[in-house]
Amino acid sequence: MNWKLSLNIALTHLLTKKKQSIVAMLGVTFGISMFIIMISFMTGVNQFTEDLAMDNTPHVHIYKSIEIEDKKIVALDKPAGDSNWYVVKHQRPKNELSKIKNGLAVMERIENMPGVRGVAPQVSTQVFYNNGPVQIPGTVFGVDVKKQADLFDLDKKMDLGELNDLLKGSDVIIMGKGLAKKMGVTIGDRVSVTTPEGGNLNLKIVGIFSYGIAQLDQTQSYATLATVQKILQKDPSYVTDLNLKMKDVNAASALAKSLENQLPDVKIEDWETANQSILAGTQIRNIMTFVVCFTLLVVAGFGIYNIMNMNIINKMKDIAILKATGFQGADVTGIFMLQSVMIGIAGGFFGLIIGFFFSYLLSITPFPAGEFFRIDTFPVNFNPVHYFIGLFFGFLTTLFAGWFPSRKAAKVDPVQIIRG
Amino acid sequence: MATVLKAENIKKKFFQPTEFEVLKGLDFEVHEGEFFSIIGKSGCGKSTLLYILSTMDTDYDGTMHIKGEQLTGKTQNQLSKFRNEHLGFVFQFHFLLPEFTALKNVMLPALKLGKYSEKEIEHRAIEKLRLVGMDEFAHKHANRLSGGQQQRVAIARALVNDPAIIMGDEPTGNLDKANSMRVFDIFKQLAEENKQTIITVTHDHDFANGSDRIMEMEDGRILGIEPPTEPTPYIK
Ligand SMILES: Nc1ncnc2c1ncn2[C@@H]1O[C@H](COP(=O)(O)OP(=O)(O)OP(=O)(O)O)[C@@H](O)[C@H]1O
Ligand SMILES: [Mg+2]
């Protein structure tokens, strides 16, 4: 079949019926641009909520669980049928239970495992922030500042001050935005904290952070490992948590399983287990996004299908003449497929441009987020992959939509038309 | 003289609205370079026969050979190719592609055949248009031409691939005497000089009387195939 000739005829058809061609094209343009806007925005929102949850969520969390073993110590060796054994009920945990044994050594070992991006050590303790006569309960985390920035982007959550200021002095902390507000303090002020063990320390605030999650911002503060170890009056090897980030998130649960075997005396939790509800939400939103986008493309496809069908009914006479003068079925199919593909490509291309334009507008539109959200404008995800998908599926739908009418055109019996 | 077209026992039935045999077994042969005309009353089946001869209608009984090749039973694609190369057709109602210029209409079958370069095809197309006196309208769109002009362009289109057989269903139906005479002269010349075969259906007895043989039909049968007996004003 002669492509150049078919293309020539297809183009002539499109150009003589400009209005109709443009309407068909606009159908695709609308579908693709809506697809781009929808998917950019929806994935932007998904990304935003996921980041919100994931940024400070370790992929694998290793900690010493404050659960006691269910086995009753004294009952362990109880001979069957002997009623003179005593059983200790309501066993209490030992004092040093929250410490991970050889925490820093374990950390180094895990850090060298394949697929692990990094492990951040942490000492966490419940505290009361003393605000005059009122005590506000909360948590202080002692962290390795550099690792916390690298792995958990804490440096990017700073509203006031710098994360690195933690390294510049001793007895300094950074405080959640909500907590600082509750206490009426800001950078440069001092607060005193009390641990459950009765330890007390006066700390200087050198920064305010906010995650955008009220629950965290109203209770947490961060300090260096050494500072918190000092509050707790523990030695420098005292570590309560190891927070692990993977290179590939999806490898987390596999690693967690293997760690479980290697470290029997600590509790190991991967992010999927810890965040099941968030994951389910993301999944549902993703499914919805794709259903909506797919529907849009199908609607655009139907538009083309209808217009091509009408086009072919109008062109019956021409098809008959072409066939009478020696054009074959495949040539006729080619002519109409080319028309539909050209409509698809031109419409899809404009759709991408318009879609990008409106996504851009959306991305600079102020978002009324309230004071806790770390967000100023609508979250929009500009992912080139979406543009390729849009063009590809736009192209595919036009191929499908054009195929059936074009096949019909190829089957036109010229005699019936020419006979009149 | 060599036989270029041979029809054997051609039968055609329509089933709509009721079963109705239009062609009731036709046998005839047409020779190479012959000017062959078909006449008969309206509705006797002339167009129906011509569609079968042109290979466009494949739904008939009997067999047909053109240039020694049996065309009965070939696929649509094979027939399209054959038509493109060996047959030129002028329809009863002038049929051009309205979106294209007269020139492009003439060029399309040649472009499809792809035997010559585009430049050459254009050149040949203009020559054919000149033959039918339409060269000055070459760049006019087909839907801007009068009925008679369109018919002449359609004739030029039928000639463009230098087919062995040119079939016309009342090719002069829309033309005045002067233009009819012109078409007649062209056909006569093609038959005599290029040895191309002309098969035309016509209601114009003078036109038929200028041809080599006349086949008269009645109710789907052949009444007779005779050379013309009367003189005609077409031949001076
Ligand atoms: N598609 C069809 N279905 C049913 N009957 C048809 C069909 N086409 C033609 N006929 C019938 O077949 C007969 C022959 O028609 P045809 O067109 O061959 O006549 P014709 O000899 O060309 O007439 P004219 O000189 O008026 O063009 C007519 O009676 C017509 O009614
Ligand atoms: Mg007729």
Side-chain angles (χ1 to χ4, degrees):
Chain A
M1 117 170 222
N2 185 338
W3 282 103
K4 207 178 135 211
L5 181 58
S6 298
L7 185 68
N8 190 315
I9 297 173
L11 266 177
T12 311
H13 279 176
L14 283 181
L15 292 179
T16 29
K17 284 251 159 43
K18 279 199 196 69
K19 219 190 243 163
Q20 187 192 291
S21 311
I22 287 174
V23 169
M25 211 188 74
L26 284 182
V28 185
T29 302
F30 179 77
I32 302 283
S33 58
M34 284 309 284
F35 168 81
I36 292 292
I37 296 169
M38 286 293 292
I39 204 162
S40 302
F41 182 54
M42 300 266 252
T43 56
V45 170
N46 280 352
Q47 190 68 52
F48 173 71
T49 45
E50 216 177 290
D51 284 352
L52 210 60
M54 285 302 294
D55 267 5
N56 60 338
T57 306
H59 294 160
V60 179
H61 183 198
I62 303 170
Y63 60 103
K64 189 78 188 218
S65 142
I66 320 258
E67 298 160 359
I68 42 167
E69 288 175 279
D70 202 28
K71 293 171 270 182
K72 306 292 182 275
I73 300 168
V74 182
L76 281 179
D77 300 318
K78 178 179 181 181
D82 190 339
S83 58
N84 289 329
W85 279 74
Y86 290 93
V87 174
V88 178
K89 296 196 170 164
H90 308 302
Q91 221 172 293
R92 298 284 178 251
K94 279 196 280 182
N95 194 22
E96 84 277 13
L97 255 178
S98 32
K99 173 182 172 169
I100 297 178
K101 213 185 279 170
N102 293 325
L104 295 175
V106 169
M107 176 186 91
E108 258 168 51
R109 219 178 80 211
I110 298 175
E111 252 180 342
N112 290 328
M113 287 182 175
V116 176
R117 211 176 101 205
V119 184
Q122 182 179 294
V123 185
S124 62
T125 177
Q126 306 290 315
V127 291
F128 287 113
Y129 301 96
N130 300 314
N131 187 16
V134 181
Q135 292 190 312
I136 298 172
T139 317
V140 175
F141 296 101
V143 295
D144 178 321
V145 170
K146 200 176 147 320
K147 280 186 173 169
Q148 206 67 18
D150 276 357
L151 301 177
F152 298 95
D153 289 339
L154 184 57
D155 53 333
K156 301 204 182 77
K157 313 286 184 198
M158 298 302 293
D159 282 357
L160 290 171
E162 293 284 330
L163 184 63
N164 280 334
D165 292 347
L166 280 181
L167 297 172
K168 286 178 188 152
S170 58
D171 298 351
V172 293
I173 59 165
I174 59 170
M175 193 173 256
K177 188 176 175 183
L179 182 58
K181 197 176 164 205
K182 249 192 212 172
M183 309 224 345
V185 293
T186 182
I187 260 185
D189 294 342
R190 303 191 79 88
V191 291
S192 99
V193 298
T194 309
T195 61
E197 287 81 28
N200 201 326
L201 201 68
N202 212 321
L203 298 163
K204 187 177 162 202
I205 300 169
V206 293
I208 305 284
F209 68 87
S210 74
Y211 280 119
I213 303 173
Q215 193 191 341
L216 306 184
D217 294 341
Q218 289 179 356
T219 57
Q220 297 187 345
S221 21
Y222 286 87
T224 57
L225 278 173
T227 307
V228 181
Q229 281 157 354
K230 187 170 152 194
I231 302 175
L232 293 172
Q233 294 158 1
K234 301 282 183 189
D235 59 287
S237 70
Y238 183 83
V239 173
T240 59
D241 306 74
L242 294 177
N243 293 327
L244 202 150
K245 282 268 185 185
M246 304 292 296
K247 284 177 185 137
D248 174 18
V249 198
N250 301 314
S253 56
L255 185 81
K257 285 232 168 54
S258 84
L259 285 178
E260 239 159 52
N261 297 331
Q262 297 174 35
L263 307 167
D265 57 338
V266 292
K267 181 114 173 128
I268 293 170
E269 197 175 67
D270 65 80
W271 67 285
E272 288 177 39
T273 320
N275 292 290
Q276 263 158 353
S277 61
I278 292 174
L279 276 178
T282 306
Q283 230 159 35
I284 289 170
R285 272 195 304 272
N286 276 339
I287 291 171
M288 265 172 51
T289 309
F290 275 97
V291 167
V292 169
C293 294
F294 185 72
T295 312
L296 283 170
L297 288 178
V298 169
V299 169
F302 265 105
I304 294 196
Y305 176 81
N306 274 331
I307 285 176
M308 286 310 291
N309 245 340
M310 267 171 39
N311 188 9
I312 280 159
I313 288 168
N314 289 336
K315 288 262 178 315
M316 280 296 191
K317 246 169 109 174
D318 298 40
I319 296 167
I321 297 163
L322 286 172
K323 292 186 93 174
T325 55
F327 283 74
Q328 300 178 357
D331 296 310
V332 175
T333 308
I335 288 169
F336 288 96
M337 278 308 279
L338 280 171
Q339 291 189 37
S340 149
V341 164
M342 281 189 278
I343 289 174
I345 289 181
F349 193 69
F350 279 113
L352 292 189
I353 293 175
I354 293 175
F356 175 78
F357 177 71
F358 279 103
S359 326
Y360 176 72
L361 278 192
L362 195 63
S363 76
I364 55 168
T365 306
F367 182 75
E371 81 182 277
F372 280 115
F373 271 132
R374 294 191 62 86
I375 186 173
D376 310 318
T377 57
F378 282 87
V380 176
N381 184 2
F382 292 100
N383 188 345
V385 170
H386 294 156
Y387 289 74
F388 280 113
I389 292 177
L391 203 59
F392 178 71
F393 277 96
F395 187 69
L396 212 66
T397 28
T398 40
L399 276 190
F400 265 112
W403 176 249
F404 298 99
S406 302
R407 284 305 301 162
K408 207 165 84 186
K411 294 209 180 82
V412 167
D413 177 5
V415 181
Q416 261 180 29
I417 312 289
I418 287 168
R419 208 179 258 143
Chain B
M1 254 195 282
T3 299
V4 71
L5 183 147
K6 189 164 134 199
E8 289 168 303
N9 199 23
I10 301 283
K11 287 183 185 170
K12 168 86 183 173
K13 273 185 193 169
F14 284 120
F15 298 93
Q16 292 285 335
T18 53
E19 190 176 321
F20 167 53
E21 193 166 38
V22 195
L23 301 177
K24 297 165 182 158
L26 307 187
D27 287 283
F28 62 95
E29 287 182 12
V30 182
H31 310 303
E32 191 180 297
E34 187 176 22
F35 191 158
F36 188 85
S37 44
I38 303 172
I39 60 170
K41 287 206 193 71
S42 180
C44 70
K46 304 182 296 293
S47 296
T48 306
L49 174 63
L50 214 56
Y51 293 136
I52 291 170
L53 299 184
S54 74
T55 75
M56 278 192 281
D57 191 350
T58 51
D59 183 20
Y60 60 89
D61 290 323
T63 49
M64 195 209 6
H65 292 79
I66 293 182
K67 295 180 83 175
E69 198 172 334
Q70 176 170 335
L71 296 175
T72 312
K74 281 203 189 293
T75 66
Q76 286 293 346
N77 276 344
Q78 289 169 329
L79 292 175
S80 293
K81 200 160 177 298
F82 188 88
R83 275 203 292 280
N84 188 226
E85 202 170 345
H86 303 293
L87 300 181
F89 204 94
V90 186
F91 306 104
Q92 182 165 11
F93 308 103
H94 37 85
F95 278 96
L96 297 178
L97 299 176
E99 295 94 345
F100 293 87
T101 60
L103 178 63
K104 198 70 195 253
N105 264 287
V106 177
M107 285 170 71
L108 279 178
L111 290 170
K112 169 60 195 166
L113 185 62
K115 205 160 119 190
Y116 301 102
S117 74
E118 197 171 330
K119 236 341 349 91
E120 237 173 308
I121 289 171
E122 186 173 333
H123 181 75
R124 293 167 65 86
I126 288 187
E127 220 162 65
K128 305 294 179 198
L129 282 170
R130 185 171 302 129
L131 205 61
V132 295
M134 282 298 295
D135 50 328
E136 57 186 305
F137 298 99
H139 295 287
K140 224 169 164 179
H141 272 262
N143 54 2
R144 304 261 158 79
L145 298 174
S146 77
Q149 289 171 332
Q150 288 190 35
Q151 193 143 34
R152 280 145 74 196
V153 174
I155 292 169
R157 181 180 62 192
L159 302 181
V160 74
N161 282 343
D162 294 327
I165 306 180
I166 297 148
M167 299 188 190
D169 196 350
E170 297 182 40
T172 57
N174 278 289
L175 303 182
D176 55 26
K177 210 74 200 169
N179 275 311
S180 294
M181 209 175 271
R182 179 172 200 151
V183 170
F184 177 84
D185 285 341
I186 293 166
F187 281 0
K188 197 87 188 159
Q189 187 188 344
L190 291 175
E192 279 170 6
E193 289 174 17
N194 301 358
K195 290 279 166 255
Q196 285 170 285
T197 307
I198 314 287
I199 303 176
T200 67
V201 169
T202 183
H203 283 282
D204 182 345
H205 280 271
D206 290 338
F207 192 95
N209 282 331
S211 60
D212 295 330
R213 283 194 299 164
I214 302 170
M215 174 164 105
E216 189 170 1
M217 285 178 65
E218 194 176 83
D219 284 340
R221 289 210 173 78
I222 299 174
L223 272 187
I225 305 178
E226 309 277 337
T229 46
E230 294 161 43
T232 166
Y234 280 90
I235 300 174
K236 281 146 259 169

